[in-house]
Amino acid sequence: MSMEITLSREDIVRLCERVEGAQTRAYAIPKLTDEYPGMTIGDGYAVQLELRRRFLARGHKQVGWKAGLTSKAKMKQMGVDVPSIGFLTDRMARPENAAISTADLVHPRVECEVAFVMKDELKGPGCTAGAVLAATDYVLPAVEIIDSRFSGFKFDLPSVVADNGSSARFVGGGRARYARDLDLRTLGVVLEKNGEIVAMGASAAVLGHPAEAIAMLVNILAELGESLPAGSFVMSGGITEAIAVKPGDSVIARFQELGSVSMRFVE
Ligand code: OOG
Ligand code: MG
C-alpha cells in the first residue's frame, strides 16, 4: 500500500476540521473525494493523524486501535476491498449493558468483533499472526458501534480512513480468555436485535484468522512510522455485516467460548 501524501498541509487541516465537525456535532457530510477526487490513502491517514492529534490535545486518551473492512461481508457491504485502521479513545468506550445515546450519532450500526489486549509491543513491517498471538495477553468479545459521517454511509477508502474508519463507540465484555485456550479461527457469533437473529458468522471471516487482521494493522502502523504499544486494546474487524440501530433497540452479541456483549440504544 502506498502512503504517498498529495494534499497540502492546509487541505489536510481543512478536511480534518470538516470531519471533526461532523463527528463532534453528528451530521452527515459528502465523502471527501467528491471535492478531492485525487485524494490517496496516504492523504486519508494524514487527515486521521491530524484528527488524533487534536483529540489527544483536548485530553482524550488513546486506548488502542481497530482494524476495519477485514471480512468479505464488510468489504461487500461497503464496496471497499482493502482493510483500514483507526484509533480508539477512552471517550468511545461504553460499559457492557450500557444505554447508548444515539443523539450524538448520525446513523449508527453495530458489528461483532474479537478484541485483543496486548502484553508486548509489536512493530512491523513483517508482523505475522504468530507474532501477534505471542504478544497477546488475552482476547475478549466486543461490539463496535460504527457511524460513518458520510451521507448514506457511502464512501471510498481515502474518505473512510480520514473519518477514522467510522469509529464511534465500542463495548468490550463477555469473558476474557487466553488465545492459546481457543481456536480463534472457528469461533461462531450470533448477533440479535430485539430478540431476533440479524447476523451470524465465524471468526475465520476476518482474513482467515483475526490475528491476521492485527498483524495487518501493525504493518500499516509501520508504514505510518508507528508501533502497537503494550497494553493496547485492538479490535480485529467486523465478522458479519453491520446492522443499523435506533433508539429502543436492544442488541446482544453471543460469542462461542467468549460469552456475550449486550447494550441498548436510547435517544
Ligand atoms: C468502515 C469501518 C469498518 C469493520 O469492522 O469492518 C469496520 C465502515 O464500515 O464504515 O469497523
Ligand atoms: Mg469495526
Side-chain angles (χ1 to χ4, degrees), residues 66-71 74 77-78 84 109 111 113 144 146-148 153 155 160 165-167 236-239 242:
K66 61 164 269 186
L69 304 166
T70 50
S71 69
K74 287 286 309 180
Q77 182 180 31
M78 306 322 300
S84 62
R109 294 180 177 177
E111 54 190 20
E113 310 205 9
E144 181 172 26
I146 51 169
D147 188 35
S148 176
F153 234 106
F155 49 68
V160 70
S166 309
S167 302
S236 55
I239 294 168

Side-chain angles (χ1 to χ4, degrees), residues 5 34 39 48 120-121 123 135 147 158 164 199 215 223 236 247 250:
I5 296 176
D34 287 357
M39 194 177 162
Q48 183 189 117
D120 299 318
E121 184 191 25
K123 276 196 177 104
D147 188 35
N164 194 25
E223 290 190 62
S236 55
S250 64

Side-chain angles (χ1 to χ4, degrees), residues 128-143:
T128 61
V132 168
L133 290 171
T136 299
D137 192 357
Y138 56 89
V139 297
L140 72 162
V143 169

